Each structure stands twice: as C-alpha cells, then as structure tokens.
Amino acid sequence: MDEQQLLDLAGDVGFALLKSGGEIYRVEESIRRIFLAYGQDSGDAFVIPSVIIVSFTTPQGRSYTKMLRVRGQTVDLERVERLNSLCRKICLHPMEPEAVRRELESIEKAPRYGYHWRMAAYAMVAFFFTLLFAGTAGDAVAAGLCGLATCIACEQMNRFHTNSFFVNTIASAIIAAMALGAVNLGLGSHYDRIIIGALMNLVPGVMITNFMRDIIAGDLLAGLIKLTESLLVATAIALGAGIILTAARLLWGIG
C-alpha cells in the first residue's frame, strides 16, 4: 500500500474508534500499531475528543499528515470491540486496503439496538435506580415512565442535531415535571427519588471515568476537555430540573 493509503487507513480506523466512544489512549495506540504493522516506525497520532491528527515520515524524509474532525460521538462498546479486533487482525497479518475497507464498512453497517430496545433500557435504568435509592414500587413505576419520556425526547432532539447542553436541560426538565405530576396524581410518593432515579440515564458516567483515566495517564488536554464537557452536562441536568422545581415551588407551593 502506498503512503497516502496508509495514512487514510490509519486515520479512518482511529476516527471510527473515537466516534464510537473509544478512549484517547486506545485510539492513539491503535493508530501507532497500524503504522508499525505496515513498516512505518515513525508513525504517530495526536488525539483529543474532537480532532485526530495522524502523521508519519518516510525513510526518504517525506512527511505525510492528515487531520480529521470528529463530531457527534456516541458510546457503542460493541463497535469498539469489533474495531479492536480489526486492529489486532491487522497487526498479526497486515491486510490489503480493500479488505480493511470492507471490514470497516461491515462494522459501520452492523445492526444496532433498535428504538424500542433503547426505550426499554431507559425505563429499566430509571426503575431499578429508583429502587436502589429506597423509592417505593410506585416511585419506580413513575421513574420508568419518566425514563420512557426521556428516551423519546432525546431521540427526537438528536434527529435535529440539537446541542447536547439543551438536550440534557430539556430532558431533565421533563423528568422533574413528570415526577411532580406522578406524585400529585398518587402514582408515586417521593418526587426526589423519582427524579434522581430517572436522571441516572443522563449522568455521563463513562465520560467521567474516561477523563479521570486520561488525566492519570498523562493525556492532560484530552482529560481537561472531557472534564469540562462532564461539568457542562452536570450543569445542564441541574439547570433543567432546578427550573421546574423552583417554578413549582413558587407557583403552586409544591416541593
């Protein structure tokens, strides 16, 4: 494979990993190992959550560099695992570019969990976390309904590429409003436990774990970016729920 093909190939694998929720160290290490597998010892990568820069220098002294902008990251651990397996396969037996492209396309087109499965997952997370926080069975049922509404709202807003800050603000406001409504209707008893249980769907747990891991590993820039993003998500969650609770307290004396 020629130099440009190798540069594109390493960049595309790294892009797929980062977009699927792979950690910074995993993306950089995968790109470096792909370069080594094809005989480019000078290959390296610089990765932050929104940008990948890959480069290498040929023995003749010619440098190749490519930058990729990454938008709209998700967390898809199954896809990360399949991409990891592809990287291992490349390292063991370097493949032709066309074969790697076919593998990448297969991973990209692999079926994901459908809308109804995601709705069920949101409801189950809210239901069982509410029980964990000492909520009653009625509270858990109400939280499950809040989880369903959260999934529907997030899916609809994401269709229009809404900023994640506003997605989390609106979703948390919907949860707080539904929790207050459920308690007033007698479905639940503790609106605070319903809200906390349902909000666990929005808490950026993977993001928090990753930024701590990045900072400990010395990737300070990537870690600080993820830390800032986590704080913005937490602020959005608190803002949405806080507005509804404050309004309910001032207008109707609820809370």
Side-chain angles (χ1 to χ4, degrees):
M1 115 173 27
D2 63 34
E3 288 83 358
Q4 191 60 50
Q5 283 180 319
L6 176 57
L7 190 70
D8 292 341
L9 183 65
D12 289 346
V13 172
F15 179 89
L17 268 171
L18 189 60
K19 194 172 178 65
S20 300
E23 306 93 318
I24 299 299
Y25 82 93
R26 188 188 303 276
V27 178
E28 292 183 342
E29 184 69 15
S30 297
I31 292 172
R32 281 195 291 266
R33 288 186 178 275
I34 289 172
F35 280 136
L36 287 172
Y38 291 101
Q40 290 293 347
D41 298 342
S42 64
D44 210 342
F46 173 76
V47 180
I48 58 175
S50 58
V51 174
I52 299 174
I53 300 175
V54 293
S55 66
F56 66 87
T57 303
T58 65
Q60 294 77 28
R62 187 172 182 179
S63 296
Y64 291 83
T65 302
K66 182 175 183 178
M67 184 181 76
L68 298 97
R69 184 76 163 85
V70 182
R71 295 182 175 88
Q73 289 176 277
T74 59
V75 177
D76 190 332
L77 299 182
E78 182 179 357
R79 186 172 294 182
V80 170
E81 173 57 30
R82 294 189 65 183
L83 289 165
N84 272 339
S85 298
L86 175 60
C87 291
R88 295 189 192 100
K89 191 187 300 185
I90 292 172
C91 292
L92 289 173
H93 304 288
M95 304 161 62
E96 291 294 324
E98 294 77 10
V100 179
R101 295 288 177 199
R102 286 195 296 271
E103 291 273 0
L104 284 173
E105 290 177 6
S106 174
I107 293 171
E108 179 67 27
K109 294 178 180 178
R112 304 179 66 186
Y113 289 107
Y115 184 48
H116 294 96
W117 281 108
R118 293 197 295 275
M119 289 179 64
Y122 270 74
M124 289 176 64
V125 166
F127 183 92
F128 288 110
F129 266 109
T130 301
L131 293 179
L132 181 66
F133 294 134
T136 64
D139 293 338
V141 171
L145 295 175
C146 291
L148 286 174
T150 303
C151 181
I152 295 170
C154 290
E155 291 283 342
Q156 293 301 315
M157 286 186 282
N158 287 332
R159 285 178 56 193
F160 298 100
H161 306 288
T162 308
N163 184 281
S164 62
F165 183 87
F166 296 107
V167 171
N168 286 293
T169 301
I170 294 171
S172 64
I174 291 172
I175 289 171
M178 289 188 64
L180 291 173
V183 171
N184 287 333
L185 292 173
L187 178 59
S189 305
H190 310 91
Y191 70 86
D192 53 343
R193 296 171 190 174
I194 298 172
I195 292 173
I196 293 171
L199 285 179
M200 293 306 293
N201 281 299
L202 305 177
V203 173
V206 174
M207 190 184 300
I208 292 171
T209 304
N210 284 347
F211 91 68
M212 292 179 64
R213 195 268 170 210
D214 289 336
I215 290 176
I216 292 170
D219 294 323
L220 297 180
L221 182 58
L224 290 173
I225 291 172
K226 283 295 184 184
L227 170 59
T228 304
E229 191 175 349
S230 301
L231 292 175
L232 284 173
V233 172
T235 302
I237 293 171
L239 183 64
I243 289 173
I244 297 300
L245 292 175
T246 302
R249 186 176 294 112
L250 291 177
L251 296 176
W252 300 291
I254 300 173

